[in-house]
Every structure is written in C-alpha cells, then in structure tokens.
Amino acid sequence: TSCLTLITVIWSEDYAGNFGWMVFVKFLQGICTATIPTSLNSITQGIVGTVGMTFQASRNDMMSHLGTSINVLFASILAYYLYPNIELIFIVSPLACSGVLYKLCHIRPDDIDLMEARGLKKSTDDLTACYGAVDGVSKEKVLYDEPDTIREVMRNKTLLLFMFITFVYDSANATILPLVMQTLAVGNGRLGAFMSGMCIVIGQGTMVLASKLCGDYSGIYGRKPLFSIGLFSVPVRCLVLTTLVRMRNAGGDTTTLNFFILGTQFFDGIGAGVFGTMLTLVSSDIAVGTGRFSLMLGLSTAAMSMGATVSGYLGEALAQDLGYPRAFEIIGCLALAAALLYVCVMPETLGLNERRYTEAETEKEKLLA
C-alpha cells in the first residue's frame, strides 16, 4: 500500500488528466489494504488465543492509532512549512512501513497456533491422541471439532445482524471526517492544511484511550455497554457539528468556531476507537468454536468497507446539494438508527458461543437421562 501511495503521488496529473489510472491504482490499494486487518488479527489470536484476544486486540489498536497520530502530526508539520508544495509529506508512509516489515519478520511461525487463529474449539470427546515420538519423546496432538461450513457461516443470524449494523454505521460515520476537514481547509490556506491534519491527530490520539478502555472493561462488563457508547457518540457529534457550522455560516467568529469544530474530533476518537476494537472482538466472539474467525472478520470488514463506500458518495452529494449543516443532520439520523438497532436487537456476544454450547450439552444430557 505504501508503494501504491507513492505511485499515486508521482504519476498524478493536474485536472484529473489520468483519472482512470488513478482509480485503478486506488482499486489495487484497496485490495492490498483489505488483507491487513484479518491477517493481523488472525496472527494475534494464533499467538494469544481467544482468551487473550480482548486484551491484545485492544493493545494492537492502541499502537495502530498512536502510530497514525505520530505520522500524521509529522506530515502536518511538514505540510505547514512546505505549503503549497507538499509532495514530500508522502514519504512518511514508506518510512513507517519499513518498521512494520522489520518487526513482522521477527514473529516466528512456530509461535502461531493455527487452530487458535481459526477459533476452533477443542474436542470434548477425545482431547489428546498420541501420534508417535520425536527423539524418543512422546508427542501428543490436541484434537479439535470440525469447522463450520461456509453455508453455516452465511446462515449465522448473529453475524448477519452484526454485518448489517456495521454497514449502516459506517454508511454514516466514514464521510464525517472528510466533511469536517473540508469545512476547515476550504479558504484557509496554510492554516487550513494544518488544521485538516490535526483532525486526524486529535481523533487518533483519542482512539488510543478508547481502545485501551475497551480492552480493560469489555471483558468485565460485556461488549454492549462500551460499544453502545461508541455508536451513540456519532449522532451526538453530528448534532454538535450542525450547530457549529450553522453559527459560523450565520456570521459567528470564524476562527473560534473553527477550533470548536476541530474539537469535535474527540467524538470521532470515541466512536471510531471503540468501533475499531469492538469490530475485532465481536467477530472473535461470534467465531469461537466455528473455526472461521478470519472469514467472519473478513465479512464484517467487508460490510464496513461497503458502508464507507456508500458514505463517501452520500456525504459529498448531501453537502453539495443541501449544504454542510443539512448533510450532518441526515448523517446523524442514519448513525442514530444503527446505534438503536444495536442496542435493541443485537445480543451480548461475550461468551455467546460458550453459552450456546453449554445449553446444547444440557439438553443432550436431559435427553440421555
């Protein structure tokens, strides 16, 4: 993805002279980027297991947001001093990527339990079976239940409901940041470019704390309370943005109101920070015992990406045709619908499959009795 970012910068032309080529490059970049979340989280679960996933997934997200915040802050400072010739800021991406590759190469394949990475459940019928000896030492192989079929995964009602909520949520949320950055950047020159970058820095910085709280408390109080707070922060954010932009359009103090608009990125940090961590954790909860963690997380991520695609068009079209205040109003209503749907319909997923497994075993014992 870093190489494709550089290609975009080097070969882009003024006035969309090679628009088709740029679209193709971004299409390839989207494919590459889509493999990262599922691969990273599968490796994580393979190392720490489903029991340690809550803590480690939140820490992964913390480091991701912290790294993004530092990179964007550095790029924003460069953009401020190099404006209007800001091409050099894109060198930040490959520099950061080199560090990722260096650390990734230090993870040994033997440290990853492939069965744990898939979310398979150990068989209760025969936990171990001897399969020979190596150097005179007897080795035992842990047996696992069979993974669910693709058909069973696609008929999982909890997963389908979560995918729909994810789609609706990101149909609203994904476009808010670009719209906020536009309201700050247009007509503000050098300061506008810097404030646009600070939108990401503030949001990502808040996401670090939000991710940590998810890891510390979602395993104790369940996923729903924290996830609900994250989802409801989006309509609140849209309501505040609508009010601030209308005040600015009515002739209020532009500079002061712009800083207040920038401050709404704390809501973005809460919403996106909680959502990013919980997307992984809820998918992991649903996948326990199925052996299809990567597939389920991939489906959830695909629903999120489709929502983001719709959101980009929807938000820009609303802003162009109706103005920014009205666009924020409509987007806020859509985000509120997703939050209410989650609270009212979605079950608590922490320990979901374990509860179902226990109930099934209880029913089996009753029938045998």
Side-chain angles (χ1 to χ4, degrees), residues 15-36:
Y15 306 106
N18 57 345
F19 180 73
W21 166 244
M22 289 294 102
V23 169
F24 178 70
V25 171
K26 299 304 290 183
F27 175 76
L28 293 178
Q29 190 170 14
I31 294 175
C32 296
T33 304
T35 65
I36 296 174

Side-chain angles (χ1 to χ4, degrees), residues 203-257:
Q204 293 288 333
T206 311
M207 289 175 203
V208 174
L209 177 60
S211 297
K212 183 181 186 302
L213 292 175
C214 288
D216 291 346
Y217 296 106
S218 67
I220 301 173
Y221 301 108
R223 313 301 192 200
K224 287 197 75 170
L226 285 171
F227 210 165
S228 299
I229 293 173
L231 293 176
F232 277 106
S233 70
V234 180
V236 173
R237 177 188 180 196
C238 289
L239 178 62
V240 174
L241 281 169
T242 300
T243 304
L244 291 174
V245 174
R246 280 184 171 159
M247 290 174 62
R248 192 183 67 175
N249 292 347
D253 185 348
T254 302
T255 303
T256 302
L257 289 172

Side-chain angles (χ1 to χ4, degrees), residues 5-6 35 53 77 125 127 131 159 170 174 190 198 217 221 228 257 259 274 283 296 334:
T5 297
L6 290 179
T35 65
M53 192 61 178
I77 294 172
D125 297 327
L127 288 179
Y131 68 96
L159 175 64
D170 229 46
R190 185 193 302 267
M198 290 305 297
Y217 296 106
Y221 301 108
S228 299
L257 289 172
F259 278 103
V274 170
S283 298
M296 289 186 172
L334 187 60

Side-chain angles (χ1 to χ4, degrees), residues 106-172:
H106 282 69
I107 299 177
R108 296 177 300 178
D110 292 341
D111 292 335
I112 303 171
D113 186 328
L114 297 181
M115 297 300 104
E116 283 285 355
R118 298 180 65 183
L120 275 175
K121 194 177 187 66
K122 292 181 181 179
S123 175
T124 57
D125 297 327
D126 185 9
L127 288 179
T128 59
C130 183
Y131 68 96
V134 178
D135 295 331
V137 180
S138 178
K139 297 291 183 180
E140 290 185 335
K141 177 182 179 182
V142 177
L143 301 181
Y144 290 85
D145 293 335
E146 288 294 319
D148 286 1
T149 64
I150 303 298
R151 182 180 181 184
E152 288 173 327
V153 171
M154 299 307 299
R155 294 177 65 180
N156 188 312
K157 294 181 180 179
T158 306
L159 175 64
L160 295 176
L161 175 60
F162 184 60
M163 288 172 60
F164 180 71
I165 293 171
T166 299
F167 171 78
V168 176
Y169 167 82
D170 229 46
S171 294

